[in-house]
Amino acid sequence: MIPVVVDTRAVTDAMRRPVRDLRVSVTDRCNFRCRYCMPAEIFNREYEFLKRDLLLSFEEIVILARAFESLGVQKIRLTGGEPLLRKGIEQLVAMLAGATGCEVTLTTNGSLLARKAEALASAGLARVTVSLDSVDEATFMAMNDVGFPVASVLSGIEVASRAGLPVKVNAVVKRGVNDSGVVDMARHFRGTGHILRFIEYMDVGATNGWRMDDVVPAAELVRTIDAEFPIEPVAPNYRGEVATRWRYVDGAGEIGFIASVTQPFCATCTRARISAEGMLYTCLFAFTGTDFRRILRSGAGQKELIRTIRRVWKARDDRYSEIRSEATVDIPKIEMSYIGG
Ligand code: SAM
Ligand code: SF4
Ligand code: SF4
């Protein structure tokens, strides 16, 4: 494979933010129906999922990834929907790891991880993020809304870890739903080496009925954890890291908090997102994007792809989380399961 030549005129957007991270959704389908993401009453009924031939092929994803890399992207995260539902996902990991110098990671609900972890690690996956909102069986089953048990996700984490994959655990906290279990989550994961991160519930999409009252501010979560297991802040690993890092004073490891709603981090947001059908979005809360499947299938070469990405990125001025208010909740947005988290 010819090495990617990094464009020395690496692009920055209208707010001087470079493009560093590429999130690629490989499917809009999922075997869970998390109430905050794909509520069953909508996604089991009128919602139209993408047909197979509308999805980007693995080859098309690699071509796009190389174009992004030449403009400065260093990390690629595979997501969805549930990325492990995409057949041959480990081949895509191997193709991306072989064709780019980027770190390739993946976010999963963990349901198929025990089966896939070994193959993903061998394919060159750098690490995995597993979403798990509660270690309480009844709470977790109600949240995923398909009755999926906690133990199966925990066994996926175990197998991934044994396969040599560093594991992070993400938990979305919704008031009155799982906030009473955050200390139990911390207790479960402290000392394991798996970094737990609590995420504020966001108003992504138009189907989850988000209300500000449902958000548990990260500052409140920090106080709750600190009262049980004293924690102290740790310096960020790099500028623009989304999670604030903390460590247990007793040496039991790290824990993180992602305050996307109460302390937005748009000023340092370097993420581009490609939907499963090849639309490029420059913000999680965007409604319009650029159709790269059409561009790819019209026979565009690498130069044209790079030119188009550069043009889109230069015009980018997104900062939704900074301007979020009760009034912005109802503006049209695409679904999280479509754009990828
Ligand atoms: N299915 C995979 C999973 O759940 O990890 C990958 C896709 S999912 C859309 C990516 C992440 O987005 C998950 O960690 C999920 O908890 C998070 N997420 C989904 N809806 C959210 C919301 N409304 N607010 C905050 N995070 C959300
Ligand atoms: Fe599926 Fe992930 Fe959305 Fe849950 S958060 S419904 S697991 S895509
Ligand atoms: Fe980035 Fe948009 Fe989220 Fe702001 S709201 S951090 S610009 S994705």
Side-chain angles (χ1 to χ4, degrees), residues 7 9 11 64 66-68 70-71 280 290 292 295 299-315:
D7 189 329
R9 296 170 304 129
V11 63
L64 263 184
R66 282 171 60 85
F68 273 95
S70 77
L71 288 168
L280 167 63
T290 309
F292 273 84
I295 300 171
Q302 195 76 354
K303 270 203 183 133
E304 187 179 338
L305 289 174
I306 293 171
R307 214 174 22 244
T308 311
I309 298 168
R310 178 184 285 284
R311 180 175 52 71
V312 172
W313 196 263
K314 274 180 91 164

Side-chain angles (χ1 to χ4, degrees), residues 27-39 79-83 107-110 131 133 143-144 172 336-338 341:
T27 177
D28 61 341
R29 290 166 198 264
C30 188
N31 53 345
F32 283 13
R33 286 291 177 269
C34 303
R35 306 271 334 138
Y36 55 72
C37 180
M38 299 179 79
T79 177
E82 174 46 43
T107 301
T108 173
N109 63 23
S131 305
D133 298 326
M143 286 185 86
N144 66 55
V172 174
M336 185 81 142
S337 54
Y338 168 82

Side-chain angles (χ1 to χ4, degrees), residues 54 56 64 274-280 290-294:
L54 295 184
L56 288 191
L64 263 184
I274 301 277
S275 75
E277 59 175 338
M279 296 293 289
L280 167 63
T290 309
D291 186 351
F292 273 84
R293 185 187 62 213
R294 189 186 56 73

Side-chain angles (χ1 to χ4, degrees), residues 76-99:
I76 300 170
R77 175 170 298 278
L78 301 177
T79 177
E82 174 46 43
L84 299 189
L85 289 180
R86 179 87 186 248
K87 211 165 151 225
I89 185 76
E90 57 276 24
Q91 283 155 28
L92 176 61
V93 170
M95 287 163 74
L96 287 168

Side-chain angles (χ1 to χ4, degrees), residues 141-195:
M141 284 188 173
M143 286 185 86
N144 66 55
D145 210 13
V146 292
F148 199 84
V150 174
S152 302
V153 179
L154 293 178
S155 111
I157 292 174
E158 192 51 43
V159 176
S161 185
R162 264 191 273 122
L165 290 170
V167 179
K168 283 185 183 161
V169 177
N170 277 358
V172 174
V173 184
K174 193 169 170 190
R175 188 166 315 271
V177 176
N178 63 337
D179 52 338
S180 61
V182 295
V183 168
D184 288 342
M185 287 285 282
R187 183 178 294 110
H188 185 94
F189 286 107
R190 48 184 251 115
T192 62
H194 311 319
I195 301 176

